[in-house]
Amino acid sequence: MPKRFSTVRGREFGEGLRAAIAATGMTSRQIAELIGWQEAKISDLVNGKGGATELELALLLGVCRTPAQERDHLLSLFTGTGVKGWWQEHGACAPISPRTLVEHERLAKRLFSWQTMLLHGTLQVQDYTRAVITVCANVPDDEIEVRVEARVLRQEALRGLKAVFFIPESVLLTQVGGPEVMQEQLRHLDKLAARPNLVFRVVPLGAGAHAGMAGSFDLLTFDKYEDAVFLESENSSLIIEAPEAVKAYGRIVEGLQLAALDAEQSKELIKKLLT
């Protein structure tokens, strides 16, 4: 079955609007009657089929009594729901929970991840996460624990997601949080490696130059939608959806497969580092 046209921005808008409607405790038909619309108009709007103006969307969100921050977010998404590619600016630092990435990790069929400096957020134990966040130059002290909790919740995506994590050996050797924390983290990886839906591929120090040296990324593939690549930085993120650009990251995955140890060798290395 061909994948239907849908953008990351459009899916976030649709899910946000569904949630706003559900929060009222009313049905779409009841809300439509309050506004004087046909129910189909709300359905078209939620499913990205258009048929409404920005002013009409604002009216709908007003009837739903959507909180101001969420209202403004949905209005900002509305005019770009059909546009592929999305550069998100976050201000001084990344949000406590990266909404777009978290939602798409839950929707994805498969994840291919390459992180050059630290373990992927869904793999981290709390003390590893806490150590990483504590030294972030732009995270306020009073947000540290909230961010740790948010990252723990993000790990729920691993229950149904098939994932391949390419991990630099140097990341396994870096004593994030100190030796005790890193040993706890390695034990956690050892347990996760037993799950049939998760594969770890360690890129050894001896691999030399390889295809992943340009930087970190997450490549997400979907059953119903076209694939997307997520890139994260200190205070912004880039979502790549153009097919040729996404295919380019697929070729990087192929290159990493050539450079990395296989799954069994990677498990053995993780066990070896446990002392």
Side-chain angles (χ1 to χ4, degrees), residues 123-125 155 184-193:
L123 303 178
Q124 297 172 10
V125 297
Q155 295 174 9
E184 179 190 3
Q185 179 64 73
L186 290 169
R187 286 193 294 271
H188 183 60
L189 290 179
D190 186 44
K191 291 179 182 177
L192 290 177

Side-chain angles (χ1 to χ4, degrees), residues 21 26-47 50 60:
I21 292 169
M26 294 186 289
T27 66
S28 294
R29 176 174 294 181
Q30 290 171 321
I31 293 173
E33 288 175 353
L34 283 175
I35 305 174
W37 291 4
Q38 295 293 322
E39 185 181 2
K41 185 166 183 171
I42 293 180
S43 177
D44 286 347
L45 189 56
V46 168
N47 291 306
L60 172 60

Side-chain angles (χ1 to χ4, degrees), residues 32-172:
E33 288 175 353
L34 283 175
I35 305 174
W37 291 4
Q38 295 293 322
E39 185 181 2
K41 185 166 183 171
I42 293 180
S43 177
D44 286 347
L45 189 56
V46 168
N47 291 306
K49 296 180 180 180
T53 66
E54 189 171 358
L55 182 59
E56 287 175 321
L57 171 62
L59 173 63
L60 172 60
L61 294 173
V63 169
C64 293
R65 297 187 178 182
T66 305
Q69 185 176 356
E70 180 66 3
R71 176 202 66 206
D72 292 345
H73 178 64
L74 294 175
L75 285 168
S76 73
L77 294 178
F78 179 61
T79 56
T81 54
V83 179
K84 288 187 175 182
W86 191 4
W87 178 37
Q88 298 178 330
E89 295 183 87
H90 305 310
C93 60
I96 291 173
S97 179
R99 172 174 176 169
T100 310
L101 177 57
V102 169
E103 289 183 357
H104 280 78
E105 284 175 340
R106 290 172 180 165
L107 287 173
K109 173 185 178 183
R110 194 159 190 176
L111 163 68
F112 296 92
S113 178
W114 166 244
Q115 303 297 318
T116 62
M117 299 300 295
L118 75 171
L119 289 167
H120 192 273
T122 59
L123 303 178
Q124 297 172 10
V125 297
Q126 289 190 40
D127 285 339
Y128 184 104
T129 299
R130 188 173 290 107
V132 170
I133 294 175
T134 298
V135 298
C136 285
N138 296 302
V139 171
D141 290 344
D142 60 358
E143 285 188 4
I144 292 174
E145 291 306 315
V146 179
R147 287 174 178 269
V148 171
E149 291 174 9
R151 196 161 295 181
V152 170
L153 290 174
R154 184 179 166 192
Q155 295 174 9
E156 293 178 3
L158 289 183
R159 294 177 182 174
L161 184 64
K162 293 182 179 179
V164 179
F165 295 96
F166 294 98
I167 304 172
E169 184 179 359
S170 58
V171 167
L172 299 178

